[in-house]
Amino acid sequence: MSENIQKKIEDLREEIHQHNYNYYTLDEPTISDFEFDLKLKELQYLEAKHPEFFDSNSPTLRVGGEITKNFPTVQHQFRMYSLDNSYDFNDLEDWEKRLQKSLDEPISYVAELKYDGASISILYENGKLKQAVTRGDGFQGDEITANVKTISDIPLQLHGDFPERFYMRGEIYLTRKNFDKINIRREEEGLDPFMNPRNTASGSLKIQDSAEVRKRGLSAVLYQFIANDFPAKTHWELLQKTKSWGFKISEQAKLCNSLDEVKDFINFWDTQRHQLGFDIDGIVIKVNDLSQQKALGYTAKSPRWAMAYKFKAEKVETELQSVTYQVGRTGAITPVANLKPVLLAGTVVKRASLHNEDIIKKLGLHDHDFVYVEKGGEIIPKIVGVNLDKRNPENQEIQYIKNCPECGTELIKIEDQAIHFCPNELHCPPQVVGRMIHYVSRKALNIENLGSETIEQLYREKLVENPADFYALTKEQLLPLERMAEKSAQNIIDGIEKSKEIPFEKVLYGIGIKHVGETVAKKLAKNFTSIDDLRKATAEELVQVEDIGGKIAESIIAFFQNPENILMIERLKSYGVQLERRENTNEILSNVLENKTFLFTGKLSLFTRDDAEEMVEKHGGKNISAVSKNLNYLVVGEKAGSKLKKAQDIGTIEILDEQQFLDLLGN
Ligand code: AMP
Ligand code: ZN
């Protein structure tokens, strides 16, 4: 029986790997998405029921879920070099001359797009993805295997006659479409948008929860095979081979028999790159013949056999029509340059961000100046200079506003950050809306279905002005709103009702006390049993709490000094929102750890760090955050690092593994 099930599981895995290959690599799916999902669900079901047949490369692991607490550092077996840069065709011709001098034989090249993302090195053993490591400093990087496995473009299982052990190098990037999706979602959750796809892609690789990484929708392309022995004579052949094993290689890569062909390729993509749907910042040119590559070797920094050609950031001139000021949800002011529409890098540009007053001063902007606009890696173009020849001497220098354009309040300038903000937190419209959006966001009260647009509408209709107003809403009030159907109105009402179950710490985060983020809210909720308890705390008491400094303490006190906040809190209480800790989270199980201090380090496998710390507290012990003479026990998981060493050096600290820690508790 169990053999049958094992076979069934293995067959399903095999089949799904094949469908993934057909879909992602060949772009020729043979079954519908629906059928595919059914198969995947069946496999998930069987695996959950039979954990004994676990396989770390099962296609179900694509959906993520594995949590990485610390990304271990891994030495690269083959160093990850940089590339030499060239900026024009002269540079390229010089390079070719150097090559010819060393080689004295005909040279062909492979020209590839230079993907603007994060590079990755992936180890394959016996056809299975074994380990994925970031570039880091080129000598060592961070191991991010669990996260990389969620990326559909990267095969977990290879086909055909692949070598037993080798590395594939490639780039992980975000398409512009997926980047926009992420930002739309962030916007809805009241978070600041990300700046550009490149940083977002590399940042995503370091998220601890791989299921979250999956949601980012990352793409990948593989461009380099690395091993001691090569199963081909040229880079081009290698690319075709790796493709046949299941890797997604660049569709645009081209074999060029002369530098002229390379130049054509460069010219083509310099003008066409905006059609690609993802960002490239140049072209990479590689000597095709592997024995030539070997003969050329490396400099201290980069291979002599490869060269990056960087595209120039595109720059155009246009007229500045006006400067307007946006008020963000936190009250921060952003000046925006409104431009005469102009075509830049494939899109019509009408606006550029000016960031802050200092930048406007530095540019010396005057009304109706003709400005140079550039598009670098950032999504929003920026003004990089003024064409002074075209300035009309009658035009005045731009004066930064003194009052909030939304509510008229006098602005405050934070000198060290050069930004202005509107201090009218409770009545400045974008801030009022921002506060409510924050309240319903996923990490706060998590009121699903209540999106930012709906909140804006509700505010415009004067139905809500602060989070307490949500609880007085009725379905009848919602129904007349734009695009509001019976069912969605009901969902909102249900979601609001459900939020009354959300624990104190999240509510504390949700009510939007300045500087009280998620972690601080958690700490506060641990140390104060209720909002009233917190309200009574003095600044001295507040700074006693771990991670709470003077700035946070001050802001908490200011919050409670405002009668409008007190009114909101009293109303939230009356509606049944959790403004005190629920009892059982604080229950004491024993005092066996009384007067003992603990610290956890390394990758824990029997419990999470949060759980462990909670156990310590429930048994009367105390958690501390650093190794010192005051520490009694260091509990070490896998791959413990410097803390373990330090504890051993001190000598008086008892070192426990996870099981020994449980034994202490009498479990
Ligand atoms: P740089 O960071 O400017 O030294 O450029 C080197 C980086 O270019 C590598 O680390 C890769 O991440 C990236 N890259 C993008 N596309 C390619 C490609 N087709 N071949 C090699 N490297 C590439
Ligand atoms: Zn304002």
Side-chain angles (χ1 to χ4, degrees), residues 15-33 36-37 40 59-60 62-63 148-157 159 173 175 178 214 217-222 242-251:
E15 202 187 335
I16 293 171
H17 278 308
Q18 181 65 43
H19 288 306
N20 274 331
Y21 175 73
N22 295 346
Y23 186 94
Y24 289 107
T25 309
L26 303 181
D27 202 11
E28 280 168 7
T30 54
I31 57 172
S32 69
D33 290 356
F36 180 84
D37 282 344
L40 196 67
T60 53
R62 287 264 196 241
V63 292
V148 166
K149 280 186 179 174
T150 68
I151 302 172
S152 307
D153 288 341
I154 294 180
L156 302 173
Q157 169 71 52
H159 299 254
Y173 63 95
T175 59
N178 285 354
R214 173 82 182 165
L218 296 166
S219 301
V221 61
L222 286 312
T242 50
K243 179 173 178 181
S244 76
W245 304 331
F247 289 107
K248 191 184 128 197
I249 62 164
S250 171
E251 284 165 44

Side-chain angles (χ1 to χ4, degrees), residues 470-661:
F470 290 136
Y471 298 91
L473 281 176
T474 62
K475 204 160 106 185
E476 290 63 40
Q477 288 173 316
L478 290 172
L479 281 172
L481 300 182
E482 279 162 50
R483 278 180 295 165
M484 183 65 64
E486 169 83 23
K487 183 146 185 287
S488 29
Q490 188 59 48
N491 284 342
I492 291 175
I493 298 291
D494 292 346
I496 292 171
E497 188 58 31
K498 231 172 72 189
S499 77
K500 295 178 183 170
E501 295 301 313
I502 297 289
F504 178 42
E505 58 179 47
K506 297 200 170 188
V507 180
L508 203 43
Y509 167 65
I511 55 177
I513 306 175
K514 239 202 193 109
H515 307 307
V516 176
E518 238 188 313
T519 324
V520 170
K522 263 196 196 139
K523 294 263 150 80
L524 289 173
K526 258 192 179 165
N527 283 274
F528 298 92
T529 54
S530 68
I531 195 104
D532 293 326
D533 203 17
L534 177 64
R535 186 180 159 191
K536 281 188 231 130
T538 62
E540 291 73 42
E541 284 164 349
L542 287 167
V543 295
Q544 298 285 307
V545 179
E546 194 192 349
D547 284 351
I548 312 276
K551 196 166 108 182
I552 300 176
E554 226 174 84
S555 136
I556 294 171
I557 289 185
F559 180 88
F560 288 114
Q561 270 164 2
N562 188 322
E564 286 181 72
N565 287 331
I566 301 295
L567 181 63
M568 172 182 80
I569 285 173
E570 290 307 321
R571 285 181 61 209
L572 286 175
K573 256 195 227 165
S574 73
Y575 290 121
V577 175
Q578 302 292 317
L579 284 162
E580 55 184 41
R581 209 154 65 190
R582 285 216 173 147
E583 269 328 308
N584 60 6
T585 58
N586 195 26
E587 103 200 89
I588 292 297
L589 298 174
S590 84
N591 55 5
V592 289
L593 304 184
E594 206 168 340
N595 299 325
K596 297 281 185 261
T597 56
F598 285 81
L599 179 62
F600 296 83
T601 186
K603 192 173 163 189
L604 303 175
S605 50
L606 299 182
F607 34 73
T608 67
R609 190 160 306 197
D610 283 345
D611 288 344
E613 289 178 352
E614 201 177 311
M615 282 189 270
V616 167
E617 283 169 15
K618 285 187 177 168
H619 289 274
K622 222 178 129 193
N623 296 295
I624 61 178
S625 56
V627 177
S628 74
K629 290 206 179 81
N630 299 331
L631 181 62
N632 299 120
Y633 294 100
L634 182 72
V635 183
V636 296
E638 237 181 280
K639 297 187 183 148
S642 62
K643 285 192 181 137
L644 174 57
K645 199 173 165 301
K646 207 166 157 199
Q648 285 164 335
D649 289 347
I650 291 180
T652 55
I653 299 169
E654 212 171 313
I655 313 241
L656 304 179
D657 65 22
E658 291 174 73
Q659 188 54 52
Q660 287 167 325
F661 167 70

Side-chain angles (χ1 to χ4, degrees), residues 89-361:
F89 288 169
N90 282 335
D91 292 347
L92 283 185
E93 284 156 16
D94 289 346
W95 177 55
E96 180 166 65
K97 281 190 199 122
R98 293 200 297 277
L99 296 177
Q100 282 165 341
K101 227 162 129 188
S102 319
L103 294 172
D104 200 25
E105 52 187 23
I107 304 169
S108 66
Y109 304 93
V110 176
E112 298 171 4
L113 304 183
K114 189 169 189 299
Y115 293 82
D116 201 8
S119 48
I120 185 85
S121 166
I122 312 175
L123 173 63
Y124 282 86
E125 273 180 6
N126 301 315
K128 291 191 194 312
L129 188 160
K130 181 85 185 176
Q131 186 182 53
V133 180
T134 63
R135 179 180 137 135
D137 63 3
F139 296 97
Q140 55 181 40
D142 296 331
E143 197 211 310
I144 51 167
T145 312
N147 288 347
V148 166
K149 280 186 179 174
T150 68
I151 302 172
S152 307
D153 288 341
I154 294 180
L156 302 173
Q157 169 71 52
L158 304 180
H159 299 254
D161 62 336
F162 44 79
E164 202 179 295
R165 185 176 191 281
F166 65 94
Y167 294 89
M168 268 316 267
R169 299 259 172 93
E171 199 85 356
I172 294 181
Y173 63 95
L174 258 175
T175 59
R176 274 184 227 117
K177 197 169 114 205
N178 285 354
F179 175 72
D180 291 343
K181 268 198 207 155
I182 294 173
N183 271 347
I184 289 169
R185 191 161 149 210
R186 286 182 69 81
E187 185 95 359
E188 280 169 4
E189 293 182 357
L191 300 168
D192 286 334
F194 289 130
M195 284 293 269
N196 63 45
R198 186 209 323 115
N199 295 353
T200 311
S202 58
S204 302
L205 292 175
K206 294 292 188 60
I207 299 175
Q208 292 184 332
D209 180 355
S210 59
E212 282 300 311
V213 181
R214 173 82 182 165
K215 286 191 204 145
R216 290 276 169 100
L218 296 166
S219 301
V221 61
L222 286 312
Y223 46 64
Q224 197 85 33
F225 170 95
I226 311 254
N228 282 319
D229 300 308
F230 292 106
K233 290 206 151 36
T234 64
H235 178 59
W236 184 253
E237 277 171 55
L238 269 181
L239 286 178
Q240 310 314 316
K241 280 229 155 137
T242 50
K243 179 173 178 181
S244 76
W245 304 331
F247 289 107
K248 191 184 128 197
I249 62 164
S250 171
E251 284 165 44
Q252 291 82 10
K254 185 165 183 274
L255 178 61
C256 300
N257 286 310
S258 67
L259 200 61
D260 282 337
E261 283 181 36
V262 171
K263 289 178 188 170
D264 289 342
F265 184 85
I266 291 174
N267 284 334
F268 179 78
W269 286 112
D270 196 2
T271 55
Q272 298 304 307
R273 61 182 147 134
H274 309 297
Q275 320 296 330
L276 280 170
F278 52 85
D279 289 344
I280 61 172
D281 61 341
I283 299 293
V284 181
I285 307 126
K286 297 172 183 168
V287 169
N288 187 31
D289 188 300
L290 297 175
S291 59
Q292 289 181 347
Q293 283 192 6
K294 202 165 166 209
L296 290 164
Y298 295 81
T299 68
K301 261 189 59 220
S302 47
R304 289 200 189 84
W305 46 264
M307 181 59 84
Y309 180 95
K310 294 259 181 154
F311 292 134
K312 282 179 205 63
E314 277 178 70
K315 194 156 106 175
V316 290
E317 187 188 304
T318 188
E319 190 188 342
L320 172 69
Q321 293 181 319
S322 66
V323 175
T324 50
Y325 299 83
Q326 287 174 353
V327 185
R329 290 183 175 147
T330 55
I333 309 290
T334 313
V336 178
N338 299 292
L339 307 167
K340 184 159 177 222
V342 61
L343 196 65
L344 172 65
T347 45
V348 176
V349 171
K350 295 185 202 136
R351 264 194 288 268
S353 166
L354 288 166
H355 299 288
N356 58 46
E357 183 180 24
D358 291 3
I359 288 186
I360 297 176
K361 282 202 174 133

